[in-house]
Amino acid sequence: MKATYDIALLTERKYVNPTVTDWYMDQVLEEDGLVKGALEKLGYSVIIVDWADPEFDWSSVKIAIFRTIWDYFHRFDVFQAWMDKVKNQTTFINSFDQILWNIDKHYLNDLSEDGIPVVPSHFIEMGTKTTLADLHHKLGWNKSVIKPCVSGGGRHTYLLNSENWAEHEAIFQELIAKEAMMLQPFMNNITSKGEVSHIVIGGKYTHSVLKLAKSGDYRVQDDFGGSVHDYTPSSEEIAFAESVALACDPTPTYARIDLVWDNNDQLAVGEAELIEPELWFRKYPEAAIALAKEIDKEFKALA
């Protein structure tokens, strides 16, 4: 008789029962542990499982929650095929359609069309014949950041200016031949004010963290030496973050809304992460409880 579970927390293989850990992995395990514990206190049986585990029977769980699947963008074709198959065997949180929408950064256009201020974004579709110099002359941008439309963890993210366009041209041509890219003007405040991540559970704000890049860098991820700090947002920031989550139809079970101050010193969306965002439950464990309660509502609605 096969084992069955109420809920699976999706991760990548290296986070499943590791024998050796470091400070970063310890954080990952702590946060997934907080979610698992909160769900178990509500009476659910929970398993943490590698999304790509070929032996796992996905029909043995009623709900699968995207958590720390931070290898999917390195093998997106495999991940997409897996989702297409598994969506008929369990219920995804966030939903399958919402994941498909959010996985591609073109979603920023949709938010902008809904009146949400976002960092200006120019999309270069796969196979487009152009150069970095032509793009910057056309857009009038002297300093910019380019990244793939499906990406994460800083994959192929480059800071560009007129002095290094030629240096990055070869990799740009290699990338644009096989995937769409996004070009954004550099937000100057990122190096002084940083980026603030606001966590929204079930459409309601829970907590925030401030992410700062290390000296001389612009990338706020801790993978590149960035640091995370406690942050108390203004009521304006909270209302803005909640409005972004509510603009994602349907309202996501969980979201991380990354806000920056643009080059006009106005709040703008850098990212709205609905797939596998780091949510810093270790900074605010009550948010893990809030997430468990939202999942409880969705689980009961399946009955």
Side-chain angles (χ1 to χ4, degrees):
M1 183 176 180
K2 69 180 181 182
T4 60
Y5 303 89
D6 295 319
I7 296 167
L9 300 182
L10 304 180
T11 189
E12 58 177 287
R13 186 175 63 179
K14 67 182 180 181
Y15 298 132
V16 179
N17 300 319
T19 56
V20 178
T21 65
D22 56 19
W23 66 270
Y24 186 81
M25 187 175 290
D26 286 341
Q27 290 181 171
V28 173
L29 299 178
E30 178 186 359
E31 298 214 352
D32 276 351
L34 286 169
V35 177
K36 183 173 185 286
L39 287 166
E40 288 174 338
K41 284 184 178 179
L42 293 178
Y44 292 106
S45 57
V46 184
I47 184 172
I48 296 176
V49 62
D50 173 18
W51 69 268
D53 184 345
E55 303 299 322
F56 191 78
D57 180 2
W58 295 100
S59 66
S60 69
V61 294
K62 293 185 178 180
I63 286 178
I65 304 164
F66 292 88
R67 280 293 297 143
T68 48
I69 58 164
W70 296 330
D71 57 344
Y72 82 89
F73 41 78
H74 296 299
R75 42 182 175 155
F76 181 63
D77 290 346
V78 173
F79 178 69
Q80 195 167 33
W82 172 84
M83 282 207 307
D84 285 339
K85 176 183 178 181
V86 174
K87 70 179 181 181
N88 297 317
Q89 300 176 47
T90 189
T91 297
F92 287 143
I93 294 179
N94 287 310
S95 72
F96 173 77
D97 288 341
Q98 201 151 57
I99 295 296
L100 279 189
W101 175 74
N102 188 243
I103 211 165
D104 188 316
K105 291 179 174 59
H106 282 83
Y107 75 81
L108 289 170
N109 272 345
D110 295 334
L111 292 179
S112 180
E113 290 172 1
D114 285 341
I116 301 292
V118 305
V119 173
S121 304
H122 179 78
F123 294 94
I124 312 117
E125 303 307 331
M126 183 176 67
T128 298
K129 304 300 181 183
T130 189
T131 67
L132 291 175
D134 287 344
L135 284 168
H136 285 81
H137 289 315
K138 174 185 175 182
L139 295 167
W141 297 344
N142 294 318
K143 190 175 183 181
S144 66
V145 174
I146 195 166
K147 65 183 74 172
C149 287
V150 177
S151 188
R155 182 181 78 90
H156 286 305
T157 298
Y158 303 107
L159 180 63
L160 304 175
N161 58 55
S162 58
E163 296 179 357
N164 69 7
W165 292 338
E167 176 185 335
H168 288 88
E169 187 62 36
I171 186 63
F172 170 67
Q173 293 300 332
E174 179 184 334
L175 290 168
I176 201 62
K178 57 188 179 184
E179 58 185 316
M181 303 290 289
M182 178 178 70
L183 187 68
Q184 296 177 312
F186 183 71
M187 298 289 101
N188 296 309
N189 282 317
I190 199 76
T191 55
S192 57
K193 293 185 176 182
E195 174 183 276
V196 180
S197 289
H198 304 281
I199 313 309
V200 181
I201 306 295
K204 299 296 183 181
Y205 167 84
T206 60
H207 64 294
S208 304
V209 297
L210 170 65
K211 296 177 290 184
L212 296 174
K214 71 178 182 181
S215 178
D217 206 327
Y218 67 98
R219 295 166 297 188
V220 297
Q221 296 97 331
D222 46 17
D223 311 57
F224 302 104
S227 55
V228 177
H229 306 267
D230 294 337
Y231 184 80
T232 301
S234 66
S235 57
E236 176 193 10
E237 290 171 271
I238 292 173
F240 188 7
E242 289 184 342
S243 74
V244 177
L246 293 173
C248 303
D249 187 27
T251 301
T253 304
Y254 58 86
R256 191 187 82 207
I257 310 301
D258 295 337
L259 300 184
V260 298
W261 289 267
D262 66 17
N263 291 337
N264 295 313
D265 287 322
Q266 300 298 309
L267 286 173
V269 176
E271 296 269 10
E273 289 278 3
L274 312 183
I275 307 171
E276 33 57 73
E278 186 170 5
L279 297 175
W280 292 283
F281 291 131
R282 66 185 183 275
K283 293 280 189 180
Y284 192 76
E286 293 91 338
I289 297 171
L291 177 59
K293 289 178 178 177
E294 286 298 317
I295 294 166
D296 179 52
K297 292 177 188 176
E298 299 199 29
F299 192 97
K300 290 174 177 174
L302 294 174

